[in-house]
Amino acid sequence: MLTCAVLILLISSQSNGVKVDVKVVDSHSQIGQGQSGLYRPGANKLTASRDPGPLCAHSDLAQIVGKCYDIEVSEYKYAVCPFHNITQHEVALKWNAYHGILGIWSHWSYDNLYSKFAHGHYTDGDTCTKNDKTILRTALLHHTCGKRTRVVSVGEPDTCTYNITLESPLFCHSVFSDVYNALPETERKQFAMSTLEFKHNVLTDEGLKVERRKILDRIGCLNMKKEFKDLEECEKEYNDLIKEHKDLEEKCSSEADENKYDELQNKYDELKRVVAESGLVFPDDL
């Protein structure tokens, strides 16, 4: 008779190194060790490649940090530890049952104007093979309103990419989804000023985005690295920006044009930074 499995994930708050131990206690006798292999008592340990990112949310959401919520789908158990990590555990009686990390808390995505939090991104999971290429598993966590905190669904829309939905009473109130409420007092004034200037047409949509990205970047809550599907997609966006940049430069005569030119210049500089961080050579530098 198999005993009921109890999963506890604990991330050491003392670790400052690159590798972070993710301790797993599970009474199931056949859960794989690491990514695969026969389970051996005392050796069932997962190791994360990095520490989780900053919370970057309303402080009251900290009450679910350090807690884990699991769901069993088919032959797998998924454990979601908000703002820490998401893991997958194959519960089938197999000598090489999979047992690993789908993603580590990375950052939020935001709505179009950076007013509200959208989804949570968990990156740098275990390696995975897709189309003969080795990639890292990632997970997108959706947050919905519910009577209690629990995982309600898990899907894998693309190989090694997971969509998971976590519902909680905490997500029923806009105070938790509004970016403004998550900001320190020192940044709220600037955020409110950008809102006022936008309403009075001092800032365009793009200008508002730039101002709010600056705020989020200052407090470490903006993922500046834009992710492209492949090099072709990156090159296409770069070429489109270059064309728009040159067109504006030629016809930049009015103040409105100058403002748009400056906004485009910011986008251009940001893309150049992303390309450099990705280890690619920017065409201007050739």
Side-chain angles (χ1 to χ4, degrees):
M1 179 69 67
L2 295 175
T3 53
C4 178
V6 179
L7 174 68
I8 303 175
L9 295 178
L10 296 173
I11 295 184
S12 171
S13 60
Q14 301 299 318
S15 176
N16 295 316
V18 176
K19 297 291 185 179
V20 183
D21 286 344
V22 180
K23 299 180 181 178
V24 178
V25 179
D26 200 311
S27 61
H28 198 299
S29 62
Q30 292 290 331
I31 285 198
Q33 175 221 345
Q35 291 192 23
S36 64
L38 186 64
Y39 171 76
R40 290 179 293 141
N44 192 21
K45 181 189 292 184
L46 297 177
T47 301
S49 60
R50 60 170 176 81
D51 291 328
L55 176 63
C56 292
H58 193 286
S59 58
D60 281 358
L61 287 183
Q63 62 188 279
I64 60 174
V65 174
K67 298 180 180 179
C68 299
Y69 307 90
D70 57 17
I71 185 174
E72 194 164 320
V73 180
S74 298
E75 296 182 341
Y76 293 94
K77 178 182 287 185
Y78 298 84
V80 176
C81 306
F83 308 109
H84 274 305
N85 60 67
I86 299 175
T87 55
Q88 182 186 49
H89 317 275
E90 189 172 8
V91 296
L93 297 177
K94 298 164 61 176
W95 72 269
N96 63 340
Y98 175 77
H99 182 80
I101 301 172
L102 302 186
I104 306 164
W105 168 247
S106 174
H107 63 278
W108 289 99
S109 56
Y110 303 88
D111 67 353
N112 188 46
L113 294 178
Y114 295 87
S115 298
K116 294 183 178 293
F117 296 107
H119 312 297
H121 293 256
Y122 292 71
T123 63
D124 301 316
D126 288 346
T127 56
C128 177
T129 301
K130 177 182 177 182
N131 299 328
D132 298 324
K133 294 182 180 179
T134 299
I135 63 173
L136 297 177
R137 299 173 194 265
T138 62
L140 188 66
L141 190 63
H142 305 265
H143 306 84
T144 61
C145 174
K147 293 182 179 180
R148 61 189 179 91
T149 304
R150 66 188 184 109
V151 183
V152 294
S153 67
V154 175
E156 189 176 358
D158 197 11
T159 305
C160 307
T161 302
Y162 304 84
N163 275 344
I164 302 175
T165 300
L166 180 73
E167 68 174 24
S168 172
L170 291 172
F171 307 137
C172 297
H173 308 287
S174 62
V175 66
F176 296 112
S177 61
D178 290 344
V179 170
Y180 176 84
N181 296 317
L183 297 174
E185 289 296 334
T186 53
E187 297 293 350
R188 288 187 178 185
K189 182 178 180 180
Q190 188 62 39
F191 190 93
M193 180 62 69
S194 69
T195 302
L196 187 64
E197 291 178 345
F198 176 68
K199 289 182 177 179
H200 287 82
N201 298 317
V202 176
L203 287 177
T204 62
D205 285 13
E206 190 58 37
L208 180 65
K209 293 177 188 178
V210 168
E211 290 302 314
R212 290 183 170 174
R213 282 200 297 265
K214 288 179 181 177
I215 294 171
L216 292 168
D217 189 33
R218 282 198 296 270
I219 61 175
C221 294
L222 182 65
N223 179 41
M224 295 297 290
K225 181 181 287 187
K226 182 170 182 178
E227 297 177 356
F228 296 100
K229 183 173 61 177
D230 49 38
L231 184 58
E232 290 182 4
E233 184 181 49
C234 177
E235 290 177 343
K236 181 181 184 304
E237 178 157 342
Y238 167 76
N239 291 330
D240 289 345
L241 275 173
I242 287 296
K243 184 178 183 303
E244 188 176 355
H245 188 277
K246 289 181 177 178
D247 290 344
L248 274 174
E249 194 172 21
E250 291 174 358
K251 66 179 183 180
C252 183
S253 56
S254 67
E255 182 178 348
D257 285 336
E258 289 177 358
N259 288 337
K260 189 172 182 181
Y261 176 84
D262 289 341
E263 292 166 10
L264 184 60
Q265 182 68 50
N266 288 330
K267 290 172 64 178
Y268 176 84
D269 292 340
E270 184 174 323
L271 179 61
K272 187 171 182 178
R273 173 181 170 180
V274 170
V275 171
E277 288 178 351
S278 302
L280 303 175
V281 178
F282 206 70
D284 282 1
D285 299 329
L286 291 175

